[in-house]
Amino acid sequence: MRGWRRARLTGRTKQTATGRTLVFEVPRWPGHRPGQHVDVRLTAADGYQAVRSYSLAAPADGERVELGVQAAPGGEVSPYLADDLPVGAEVEVTGPLGGWFVWTPQEAGPLLLLAGGSGIVPLMAMVRARLASPSDEPCTLLHSVRSPDDVWYAAELDAAAAARHVRVRHLWTRAAPEGAARPVGRLTGADLRDLPPPADCRCFVCGPTGFVEHAGDLLLAAGYAPGRIRTERFG
Amino acid sequence: MNEHDEHPLHLDGNALAGPLGEVFLVDPTTAWRRCPSCLRPSTLAELHVYGPEPGLTARCPGCAAVALRVVTQPGHLWLQLGGGAGAFRFSRPRIMP
Ligand SMILES: Cc1cc2nc3c(=O)[nH]c(=O)nc-3n(C[C@H](O)[C@H](O)[C@H](O)COP(=O)(O)OP(=O)(O)OC[C@H]3O[C@@H](n4cnc5c(N)ncnc54)[C@H](O)[C@@H]3O)c2cc1C
Ligand SMILES: [Zn+2]
C-alpha cells in the first residue's frame, strides 16, 4: 500500500562509459536502509508507462536519493535515464523497497561484498554506511569488472581502502592494469582465500544473474553458510 | 527439459517488492514459506522470479514449483498463490502524474 512520489533529477555524474550516478530530490522521502531499492516509473505523453528497479547507492540523507544506472544496450529505460533525462526533469519513484537484501551498521561481524559490474550500486550504500559508523569490523569488497575503465566510485573507494578497515579488491575480467598480480578472468575460488572466516561473516552478492549464480556457488564451496549469503540479481 | 530450464535467467523474489507492495501492507519479501512440493524453506526474497511476460512467476529455488504469479495491468493487479489456485484481482488506484 504505497504510492508514487515525484523525484526531480538534480545531478548526474559519469562513473564509466555507460554507468552514471543520478541524484534526485524526493520531497518527504521517508529514508531507507543500505541495500534497498526503488522502482522508477516513466510515463510517456500517450500514457504508456515503464517501471524498472534501481538500487539506492548511498545511506539515507534527507530528501537526497542517489541511484546508479548502467545503460543496457538497446534497453528501454536505462539508456534514457543514463543520458537523456534532463537535469531538472521529474520521474516517479516508489519505495524504499525490500527488507531482505539489507544491511545496517548496527549489525556486528565482518562483511563480505561481492559485486559484478553495476552490482556495486547497493553494496556501495553498505560500504558508505560502514565508513560512517564507528565500527572497525572488517569489510571486504570484491568488485568484478571488465577493465580499469569500468570501475565505479574509483576515487572514493581508493580513499576508503586507505583510511579504514575496508578492503577493496578489483578483479579484472578482460584487461588488467600494468603489473597486476592476478591473471585476468572471472571470479574463482582462489579469489576467496584470505577473506574473513565464513563462520560469523555476512555476504552480499549483487550483479548480473550469471555473476550472482557463479559467486554464490563459490561462496558455498568455500564454506559460507547459505543462511548468511544474500543475493540480488539485476537480470 | 522442464519450464524451469527453458528460462535460465531469473531475478530474486526481492524484485517483487515493488509490484506486491501495491497490495501488501508490510514488506512481503521477508515473508517465510516452506515449499509444499520439496519442503525447502525460503523467504519470498529467495524465490526465483521469471518474467516479465506474461507476468512475473516466482518459483521454489529447490524444485521450481510455482509459488506465486503476479500480473500487473493498468487498472488491476492479479495475484495467484501457488499453482492452479485461481488468481485474486486487486483494483489499482489510478493516480496519474
Ligand atoms: C532489485 C533490482 C535492483 C536493480 N538495481 C539496478 C541498479 O542499481 N542499476 C542498474 O543499472 N540496474 C539495476 N537493475 C536492473 C534494472 O532494473 C533494469 O533491468 C535495467 O536497467 C535494464 O532495463 P532497460 O529498460 O534498460 O532494459 P529493457 O528494455 O528491460 O531490456 C532488457 C533486455 O535486454 C537484455 N539486456 C539487459 N542488459 C543487457 C546487456 N548488457 N547486453 C545485452 N542484453 C541485455 C535483457 O536480457 C532484457 O531482455 C536492478 C534490477 C532489480 C531487479
Ligand atoms: Zn520446492
Side-chain angles (χ1 to χ4, degrees), chain A residues 12-33:
Chain A
R12 172 187 274 117
T13 308
K14 183 172 170 174
Q15 294 287 348
T16 69
T18 50
R20 304 284 183 270
T21 293
L22 303 186
V23 176
F24 291 90
E25 188 184 278
V26 187
R28 295 181 306 284
W29 178 249
H32 58 267
R33 289 173 289 158

Side-chain angles (χ1 to χ4, degrees), chain A residues 158-185:
Chain A
D158 281 353
R164 303 286 297 268
H165 305 266
V166 174
R167 250 202 314 178
V168 179
R169 209 184 286 163
H170 288 102
L171 309 173
W172 317 106
T173 61
R174 303 251 180 97
E178 194 109 350
R182 177 187 178 276
V184 165

Side-chain angles (χ1 to χ4, degrees), chain A residues 145-156:
Chain A
V145 286
R146 259 182 291 196
S147 75
D149 290 339
D150 298 293
V151 173
W152 291 62
Y153 311 111
E156 189 177 345

Side-chain angles (χ1 to χ4, degrees), chain A residues 186-213:
Chain A
R186 78 199 294 223
L187 181 72
T188 69
D191 296 315
L192 302 181
R193 276 192 232 122
D194 74 322
L195 292 179
D200 57 345
C201 186
R202 290 202 63 193
C203 308
F204 291 87
V205 185
C206 186
T209 297
F211 172 84
V212 170
E213 212 75 23

Side-chain angles (χ1 to χ4, degrees), chain A residues 1-4 6 35 37 39 41 43 47 49 53 92 94 97-101 209-210 212-213 226 229 231-235, chain B residues 8-12 14-27 29-30 43 45-48 92-93 95-97:
Chain A
M1 291 286 286
R2 289 176 341 263
W4 293 89
R6 286 162 189 276
H37 65 276
D39 279 1
R41 179 162 82 176
T43 305
Q49 294 185 322
S53 300
E92 291 173 289
T94 185
L97 299 173
W100 177 253
F101 191 81
T209 297
V212 170
E213 212 75 23
I229 305 171
T231 60
E232 179 155 278
R233 290 168 175 84
F234 275 7
Chain B
L9 272 191
H10 61 84
L11 300 173
D12 307 279
N14 197 34
L16 295 178
L20 291 183
E22 287 194 22
V23 293
F24 280 88
L25 221 60
V26 294
D27 171 34
T29 63
T30 53
T43 60
E46 293 171 302
L47 298 176
H48 290 178
R92 303 178 68 209
I95 307 168
M96 277 303 152

Side-chain angles (χ1 to χ4, degrees), chain A residues 37 52-55 68-70 72-79 118 121-122 232-234, chain B residues 9 11 14-15:
Chain A
H37 65 276
R52 297 290 184 278
S53 300
Y54 293 97
S55 304
V69 177
Q70 169 79 49
E76 189 174 284
V77 170
S78 59
S118 55
V121 175
E232 179 155 278
R233 290 168 175 84
F234 275 7
Chain B
L9 272 191
L11 300 173
N14 197 34

